[in-house]
Amino acid sequence: MDLYQYFMKVIPFMLSGMKTTLALGAVTILFSLPLGFLTTLGVRSRFKPLSWLLEAYIYVMRGTPLMLQLMFLYYSLPYVPVIGKLFTMNRFMAASVAFILNYAAYFGEIFRGGFLAVPKGQYEACQVLGLNRWQTMTRVIMPQMFRVALPSISNETITLVKDTALAYVIALPEIMHAAKAAVSRDAVPAPYLYAAALYLLMTFVLTLVFKKLEQRYRLQEK
Amino acid sequence: MNIIEAKNIKKSFGDQEVLKDISFKIHPGEVVALIGSSGSGKSTLLRCLIDLEKIDEGTILMEGKPLVRDGRYSDKKAIRELTSKMGMVFQQFNLFPNMSVRDNLMLAPRLVKKESEPVLEERCQRLLQKVGLAPKANAYPALLSGGEQQRVAIARALMMEPEILLFDEPTSSLDPELTGEVLQVIKQLADEHMTMVLVTHEMGFAKEAAHRVIFMDQGCIEEEGTPDQIFNHPQKERTRLFLMSSYK
């Protein structure tokens, strides 16, 4: 069997893995970005217990390996008395929850940095012009914060695509899972290279998309 | 009636007393220059008038209505209503960098005053014309010079049709050759009898445009009077020393 034939034989399998990878990545971004934003607002809140709780959440999420979080959610949580039964999830669910919680913490920190980058004078200008808090946030502060945060969000999103490979440890049938299965079954090295190519393809597209976004937001200012 | 009346204002930041028992009045149509060395409390005083800082003790009345009386602030709604009659221009301009000049001007009246779009459009054009920036309506602040940005900031404040304008060192962050164009706009407003309070280091301008000059030193009003009295016949030693050092 030549290389081309082998490629054609394995690639459908790998592409179905990529579908799972993309689904996991998309679900994570979709939920963790808004959740991360809410986290930042909560941390900045004047209601101290909420602020402390969320800081503890960020600390745990950033302070423990994502792999551990994945394994805990999928393998350990069902054994926890009483609540365990409620939290028995299928692989994709468990992976999604772990990724969303983990990435929301990171995005929260990115947004916090974005907030810090907006000068105090912007809030004061809004106040003396009579804008209320909501108007100040949505019209003036958030657009500026988002622009500052965009490069970091882009970076984090690319990391996310590669991090999805961690779902391998709970046997989610994503790209790595497919590659490993093919390598073991056929005793050839090529599937890992195919996997690498697929990851590169995804990160390439993301890089382009974020470049366009950054350009658009920069153009607004010039 | 006085447009602003402040009585026995006191304010501290931590242990440091920045305003020690300040009282003064501003009459309608008057241009008052607040001068004094940095740290004398003049910017803080200005910021207290528009509620960017809270005073600890004393009274601030606007057209007879209390913003704060004997250290007790009125409710939020009353404060909003009173401060909405004031506009403020900052040292750092504080334009919104994510919006064009036109949107900088239109945002607040659109959201707060809820006036009709044609009315706002007309006022926006008129004010940009007034500050000499009509051709820049679609530019973003980053593309403007400091002087142009400050003139936009003045137009933005005027969009809300305030009864009194506060200026916090409006030319202090400008290159010397750009201060003239900003001062000229302020002078024009003075000629139109706009009530204004200016914190400024531009002694020449204070002399020329202000009706009254208040000299502050270490949190107190040391001396006040007409520009002629303050600049040509200062009574207090501190005033003399300050003026001498600022003309160097």
Side-chain angles (χ1 to χ4, degrees):
Chain A
M1 195 158 53
D2 64 18
L3 276 176
Y4 175 71
Q5 273 180 321
Y6 183 68
F7 176 77
M8 293 310 284
K9 188 185 137 198
V10 178
I11 202 67
F13 185 44
M14 307 239 0
L15 284 177
S16 92
M18 184 161 119
K19 245 199 211 155
T20 309
T21 295
L22 284 173
L24 179 58
V27 167
T28 304
I29 285 292
L30 204 67
F31 287 95
S32 63
L33 273 177
L35 212 58
F37 187 71
L38 292 178
T39 305
T40 316
L41 293 184
V43 168
R44 292 163 55 87
S45 151
R46 271 181 238 154
F47 181 56
K48 283 295 155 200
L50 178 66
S51 167
W52 290 329
L53 186 75
L54 288 170
E55 274 181 38
Y57 154 71
I58 290 173
Y59 177 63
V60 170
M61 286 297 146
R62 292 204 306 176
T64 59
L66 177 52
M67 190 189 277
L68 186 153
Q69 294 162 17
L70 272 165
M71 293 171 95
F72 178 81
L73 275 177
Y74 186 64
Y75 293 122
S76 305
L77 206 51
Y79 294 115
V80 175
V82 190
I83 59 158
K85 283 209 173 69
L86 299 171
F87 287 99
T88 308
M89 295 176 276
N90 68 32
R91 295 177 207 283
F92 188 77
M93 265 301 269
S96 301
V97 171
F99 273 87
I100 289 167
L101 289 179
N102 183 280
Y103 271 80
Y106 278 96
F107 283 131
E109 284 299 278
I110 288 173
F111 287 131
R112 195 172 64 89
F115 269 116
L116 291 178
V118 179
K120 200 172 138 233
Q122 293 289 308
Y123 294 89
E124 293 186 346
C126 291
Q127 190 191 323
V128 300
L129 287 167
L131 268 59
N132 64 29
R133 271 194 171 184
W134 172 255
Q135 293 162 340
T136 302
M137 280 309 267
T138 54
R139 302 303 187 99
V140 176
I141 307 301
M142 277 170 56
Q144 294 182 56
M145 180 212 72
F146 186 64
R147 181 182 53 82
V148 175
L150 200 53
S152 304
I153 291 176
S154 144
N155 202 24
E156 205 59 27
T157 307
I158 286 169
T159 305
L160 165 66
V161 170
K162 296 174 295 171
D163 269 0
T164 55
L166 286 170
Y168 176 81
V169 298
I170 59 168
L172 182 76
E174 40 69 65
I175 295 181
M176 276 310 285
H177 185 86
K180 175 70 167 50
V183 167
S184 305
R185 186 189 58 205
D186 304 330
V188 287
Y192 282 145
L193 294 177
Y194 302 159
L198 291 180
Y199 282 116
L200 283 171
L201 178 70
M202 289 186 288
T203 49
F204 178 71
V205 172
L206 278 175
T207 308
L208 282 187
V209 168
F210 276 105
K211 241 191 195 137
K212 275 267 175 294
L213 269 177
E214 276 177 42
Q215 255 166 17
R216 225 188 85 189
Y217 279 91
R218 202 172 312 138
L219 277 178
Q220 282 198 351
E221 297 204 359
K222 296 289 171 185
Chain B
M1 197 196 297
N2 301 308
I3 192 158
I4 288 182
E5 182 170 1
K7 283 186 283 197
N8 310 103
I9 298 184
K10 289 183 186 166
K11 168 152 189 80
S12 303
F13 289 120
D15 296 338
Q16 206 197 342
E17 229 185 333
V18 283
L19 298 177
K20 307 169 190 166
D21 203 20
I22 299 257
S23 301
F24 65 91
K25 292 170 183 171
I26 310 282
H27 311 292
E30 198 177 25
V31 178
V32 175
L34 277 174
I35 62 171
S37 46
S38 8
S40 59
K42 52 196 192 311
S43 281
T44 305
L45 177 59
L46 197 73
R47 291 165 59 82
C48 287
L49 295 181
I50 198 163
D51 197 39
L52 285 174
E53 305 282 356
K54 300 280 187 201
I55 61 172
D56 302 326
E57 289 174 48
T59 298
I60 298 174
L61 303 176
M62 240 217 106
E63 293 175 334
K65 291 182 206 133
L67 180 74
V68 44
R69 193 190 284 283
D70 297 325
R72 286 187 43 191
Y73 274 86
S74 302
D75 61 78
K76 267 191 177 161
K77 203 176 148 235
I79 292 178
R80 255 182 109 79
E81 207 178 298
L82 292 177
T83 53
S84 73
K85 296 175 181 177
M86 305 184 215
M88 178 138 177
V89 175
F90 299 89
Q91 181 179 353
Q92 299 297 339
F93 329 133
N94 296 346
L95 294 179
F96 305 132
N98 55 318
M99 292 174 209
S100 68
V101 166
R102 174 184 284 113
D103 289 336
N104 262 280
L105 264 67
M106 303 273 274
L107 179 75
R110 201 184 267 152
L111 295 177
V112 181
K113 293 189 127 187
K114 303 198 165 75
E115 289 166 295
S116 76
E117 207 63 8
V119 170
L120 292 178
E121 189 67 50
E122 185 276 324
R123 192 185 309 151
C124 174
Q125 287 200 350
R126 181 165 48 78
L127 288 173
L128 283 179
Q129 209 121 45
K130 182 178 197 142
V131 299
L133 289 171
K136 303 279 188 180
N138 294 316
Y140 279 83
L143 276 193
L144 304 179
S145 73
E148 290 172 330
Q149 290 192 50
Q150 192 61 301
R151 285 186 280 151
V152 171
I154 294 172
R156 182 176 71 175
L158 290 171
M159 281 296 282
M160 298 301 282
E161 306 189 304
E163 288 169 33
I164 174 164
L165 258 186
L166 311 178
F167 293 83
D168 190 4
E169 304 195 18
T171 57
S172 293
S173 57
L174 296 177
D175 292 332
E177 72 267 25
L178 299 177
T179 58
E181 60 191 59
V182 173
L183 294 179
Q184 200 188 333
V185 170
I186 302 174
K187 183 78 177 63
Q188 192 189 339
L189 290 171
D191 293 341
E192 294 165 8
H193 309 293
M194 182 83 200
T195 312
M196 295 189 281
V197 183
L198 291 119
V199 169
T200 185
H201 291 292
E202 297 280 338
M203 295 305 146
F205 182 71
K207 204 178 203 170
E208 184 193 353
H211 301 121
R212 193 149 54 93
V213 177
I214 297 180
F215 169 64
M216 283 185 69
D217 188 61
Q218 297 179 2
C220 301
I221 293 181
E222 187 72 18
E223 188 168 356
E224 64 173 296
T226 63
D228 180 57
Q229 282 168 342
I230 296 291
F231 291 109
N232 301 330
H233 314 285
Q235 300 300 307
K236 301 273 180 75
E237 185 58 26
R238 283 194 183 281
T239 317
R240 251 182 299 241
L241 282 173
F242 170 74
L243 289 174
M244 254 158 61
S245 64
S246 7
Y247 278 125
K248 251 198 302 229

